[in-house]
Amino acid sequence: MRPGAYVATASRDKTIKLWDVQSGQVLRTLVGHCNWVRALVFQSAGRLLLSASDNKTS
């Protein structure tokens, strides 16, 4: 993964979206949390995306 090539967004709809910064297109919509997604962080090498939800799962 190139640094700055992607951005991840989370929302109250319980999804995470991975976007291509250059094209502005959604690459993937990730589902699995059963409540609001409250936090996202890319691992330092950019290969992993960690998430936490309002129900305290990750």
Side-chain angles (χ1 to χ4, degrees):
M1 179 185 258
R2 295 180 335 263
Y6 306 99
V7 66
T9 60
S11 74
R12 291 181 178 187
D13 72 358
K14 306 172 196 163
T15 66
I16 298 166
K17 293 188 186 302
L18 186 63
W19 301 79
D20 180 292
V21 170
Q22 190 171 28
S23 71
Q25 297 294 313
V26 174
L27 300 174
R28 294 194 188 265
T29 299
L30 307 171
V31 296
H33 284 293
C34 59
N35 214 323
W36 301 359
V37 180
R38 294 282 192 160
L40 294 173
V41 64
F42 280 104
Q43 174 257 357
S44 62
R47 295 185 53 115
L48 299 174
L49 176 64
L50 305 171
S51 64
S53 75
D54 197 45
N55 65 346
K56 301 179 181 106
T57 63
S58 58

